[in-house]
Amino acid sequence: MSFMPGQPVSTVVQRIEIHKLRDGDNLILGFSIGGGIDQDPSQNLFSEDKTDKGIYVTRVSKGGPAEVAGLRMGDRIMQVNGWDMTMVTHDQARKKLTKKNEDVVRLLVTRKTLEDAVRQSMMQH
């Protein structure tokens, strides 16, 4: 949904707790990220004005831990386990998400539309 002049912009903040899936020595989150202060924001599919250097969810694996927890493609990650993610490099974000000693990742994300959040909430109940 793109911004239309004269219309309110709805952003919803969601708290999401992902329990990593253990596969041998690997801990699987089930999603991919894009963005970061070291990346070209014009390549970010989720940046409407092509200047946003935030960390965004670019893929969510079907049936994976992230999908089960409610994470969605296009979510902007604001915090990981209390750490600010608004001004980090792509690699710093990846390292915070994939710490080997953490089985649970608590995210604070923003979503563009209130309508989508309400629709998803209604489907879960």
Side-chain angles (χ1 to χ4, degrees), residues 34-47 50-54 90:
I37 60 172
D38 59 334
Q39 304 294 308
D40 179 358
S42 70
Q43 300 299 309
N44 184 339
L45 300 174
F46 304 103
S47 172
K50 299 300 180 195
T51 62
D52 186 346
K53 294 187 175 210
H90 185 86

Coordinates of all heavy atoms in Angstrom, one line a residue, residues 34-47 50-54 90:
G34 N 16.8 -7.9 4.6 CA 17.5 -7.0 3.7 C 17.6 -5.6 4.3 O 16.9 -5.3 5.3
G35 N 18.5 -4.8 3.7 CA 18.6 -3.5 4.2 C 19.8 -3.3 5.2 O 20.6 -4.2 5.3
G36 N 19.9 -2.1 5.7 CA 21.0 -1.8 6.6 C 21.7 -0.5 6.2 O 21.5 -0.1 5.0
I37 N 22.4 0.2 7.1 CA 22.9 1.5 6.8 C 24.1 1.4 5.7 O 24.4 2.4 5.1 CB 23.4 2.2 8.0 CG1 24.5 1.4 8.8 CG2 22.2 2.6 8.9 CD1 25.1 2.2 9.9
D38 N 24.6 0.2 5.5 CA 25.7 0.0 4.5 C 25.1 -0.5 3.2 O 25.9 -0.7 2.3 CB 26.7 -1.0 5.1 CG 26.1 -2.4 5.4 OD1 24.8 -2.5 5.7 OD2 26.8 -3.4 5.3
Q39 N 23.8 -0.6 3.0 CA 23.2 -1.1 1.8 C 22.6 0.1 1.0 O 22.4 1.2 1.5 CB 22.1 -2.1 2.1 CG 22.6 -3.3 2.9 CD 23.6 -4.1 2.2 OE1 23.4 -4.6 1.1 NE2 24.7 -4.4 2.9
D40 N 22.4 -0.1 -0.3 CA 21.8 0.8 -1.2 C 20.3 0.9 -1.0 O 19.6 -0.1 -1.4 CB 22.2 0.5 -2.6 CG 21.6 1.5 -3.7 OD1 20.9 2.4 -3.3 OD2 21.8 1.3 -4.9
P41 N 19.8 1.9 -0.4 CA 18.3 1.9 -0.1 C 17.5 1.9 -1.4 O 16.3 1.6 -1.3 CB 18.1 3.2 0.7 CG 19.3 4.1 0.4 CD 20.4 3.2 0.0
S42 N 18.0 2.3 -2.5 CA 17.2 2.3 -3.7 C 16.9 0.9 -4.2 O 16.0 0.7 -5.0 CB 17.9 3.1 -4.9 OG 19.1 2.3 -5.3
Q43 N 17.6 -0.1 -3.6 CA 17.3 -1.5 -3.9 C 16.4 -2.1 -3.0 O 16.0 -3.3 -3.1 CB 18.7 -2.3 -3.9 CG 19.7 -1.8 -4.9 CD 19.2 -1.9 -6.3 OE1 18.8 -2.9 -6.8 NE2 19.3 -0.8 -7.0
N44 N 15.9 -1.4 -2.0 CA 15.0 -1.9 -1.0 C 13.6 -1.9 -1.5 O 13.0 -0.8 -1.7 CB 15.1 -1.1 0.3 CG 14.3 -1.6 1.5 OD1 13.3 -2.4 1.3 ND2 14.6 -1.3 2.7
L45 N 13.0 -3.1 -1.7 CA 11.6 -3.2 -2.2 C 10.6 -2.5 -1.3 O 9.5 -2.2 -1.7 CB 11.3 -4.6 -2.5 CG 12.1 -5.4 -3.4 CD1 11.8 -6.9 -3.4 CD2 12.0 -4.8 -4.8
F46 N 10.9 -2.4 0.0 CA 9.9 -2.0 1.0 C 10.0 -0.5 1.3 O 9.2 0.0 2.1 CB 10.0 -2.9 2.2 CG 9.8 -4.3 1.9 CD1 10.9 -5.2 1.9 CD2 8.5 -4.8 1.6 CE1 10.7 -6.5 1.5 CE2 8.3 -6.1 1.2 CZ 9.4 -7.0 1.2
S47 N 11.0 0.2 0.8 CA 11.2 1.6 1.0 C 10.4 2.4 0.0 O 10.8 2.3 -1.2 CB 12.7 2.0 1.0 OG 12.9 3.3 1.0
K50 N 12.6 5.2 -1.3 CA 14.0 4.7 -1.7 C 15.1 5.4 -0.9 O 16.2 5.4 -1.4 CB 14.2 4.8 -3.2 CG 13.2 4.0 -4.0 CD 13.2 2.5 -3.6 CE 12.2 1.7 -4.4 NZ 12.0 0.4 -3.9
T51 N 14.8 5.9 0.3 CA 15.9 6.4 1.2 C 16.0 5.7 2.5 O 17.0 5.9 3.2 CB 15.7 7.9 1.5 OG1 14.5 8.1 2.2 CG2 15.6 8.7 0.2
D52 N 15.1 4.8 2.8 CA 15.0 4.1 4.0 C 16.1 3.0 4.1 O 16.2 2.1 3.3 CB 13.7 3.4 4.2 CG 13.4 2.8 5.5 OD1 14.4 2.6 6.3 OD2 12.2 2.5 5.8
K53 N 17.0 3.1 5.2 CA 18.1 2.1 5.3 C 17.8 1.2 6.5 O 18.7 0.6 7.1 CB 19.4 2.9 5.6 CG 19.8 3.7 4.4 CD 21.2 4.3 4.6 CE 21.7 4.9 3.3 NZ 23.1 4.9 3.2
G54 N 16.5 1.0 6.8 CA 16.1 0.0 7.9 C 16.3 -1.4 7.5 O 16.6 -1.7 6.3
H90 N 23.9 -4.4 7.7 CA 23.2 -5.7 7.4 C 23.9 -6.8 8.2 O 23.2 -7.6 8.8 CB 23.3 -6.0 5.9 CG 22.6 -7.2 5.5 ND1 21.3 -7.2 5.2 CD2 23.0 -8.5 5.4 CE1 20.9 -8.4 4.9 NE2 21.9 -9.2 5.0

